[in-house]
């Protein structure tokens, strides 16, 4: 294909000696007018991300453009817990990464959340839908934040001494030192804008909130 048009009919190439699919992509200078030079650093960041989001998958990046080839391999056996630890590598964490998973069979939506608090004052929360980084968040992130605030507040009140029972802690209080990853798999995702930076599926908010409510409450009790 060239600019969306097939250059010829589909041809049978088998039988193949190996399984799988090979895709070759060459950028078209008439479309990508700014630059057709691939950035190794951008690809390295993205492929490392994909390895964390899809545990068990092994991804190799090979750059043969220079005199000395550059090569990297990405693989994660633990997935999001390793991702959170990687994001917190320059911080001092308070506890091991906590991972919550859940699924809504009716909507076929899968949820995976990993979180860890550290001793910094900043917050670092990233969200994904079907491996796409939704940098503007969306319904999955809204569900996570609402459930986090509600569940931690309920636990704090139940564990507090009588003189502190009326204490209300805001969502802002729970952001400090928080590192979290919210990843969902949605059969029919609806994104706001062509860049797919914000998830709009309304049902996902409640699903994520239920998973975090249940799993976080169970974690706090145990």
């Amino acid at each position: 294909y060239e600019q969306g048009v097939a250059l010829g009919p589909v041809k049978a190439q088998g039988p193949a000696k190996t399984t799988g699919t090979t895709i070759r992509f060459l950028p078209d200078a008439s479309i990508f007018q700014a630059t057709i030079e691939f950035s190794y650093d951008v690809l390295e960041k993205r492929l490392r991300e994909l390895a964390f989001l899809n545990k068990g998958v092994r991804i190799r990046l090979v750059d043969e453009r220079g005199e000395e080839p550059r090569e990297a391999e990405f693989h994660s056996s633990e997935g999001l817990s390793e991702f959170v630890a990687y994001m917190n590598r320059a911080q001092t964490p308070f506890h091991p990464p906590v991972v919550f998973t859940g699924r809504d069979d009716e909507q076929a939506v899968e949820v995976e959340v990993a979180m860890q608090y550290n001793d910094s004052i900043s917050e670092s929360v990233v969200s994904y839908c079907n491996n796409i980084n939704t940098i503007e968040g969306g319904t999955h992130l809204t569900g996570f934040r609402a459930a986090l605030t509600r569940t931690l507040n309920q636990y704090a009140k139940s564990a507090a001494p009588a003189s502190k029972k009326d204490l209300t802690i805001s969502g802002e209080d729970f952001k400090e030192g928080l590192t979290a990853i919210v990843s969902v798999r949605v059969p029919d995702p609806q994104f706001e804008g062509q860049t797919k930076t914000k998830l709009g599926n309304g049902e996902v908010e409640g699903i994520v909130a239920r998973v975090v409510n249940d799993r976080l409450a169970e974690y706090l009790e145990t």
Side-chain angles (χ1 to χ4, degrees), residues 140 143-144 146-147 150-151 204-214:
H140 52 338
F144 166 73
R150 185 185 307 114
T151 306
V204 174
E205 180 177 343
I207 294 170
V208 172
R210 283 196 299 274
V211 170
V212 176
N213 272 330
D214 295 344

Side-chain angles (χ1 to χ4, degrees), residues 74-126:
F74 308 101
H75 172 264
S76 173
S77 59
E78 299 298 326
L80 293 195
S81 63
E82 286 188 77
F83 198 173
V84 163
Y86 178 81
M87 290 175 63
N88 268 339
R89 63 193 183 281
Q91 309 295 341
T92 303
F94 287 134
H95 58 87
V98 184
V99 179
F100 312 122
T101 60
R103 175 183 170 85
D104 185 284
D105 292 328
E106 184 178 343
Q107 301 288 344
V109 172
E110 297 178 4
V111 179
E112 187 172 7
V113 175
M115 55 183 285
Q116 185 180 49
Y117 278 95
N118 60 60
D119 63 351
S120 73
I121 60 171
S122 60
E123 177 203 42
S124 180
V125 178
V126 291

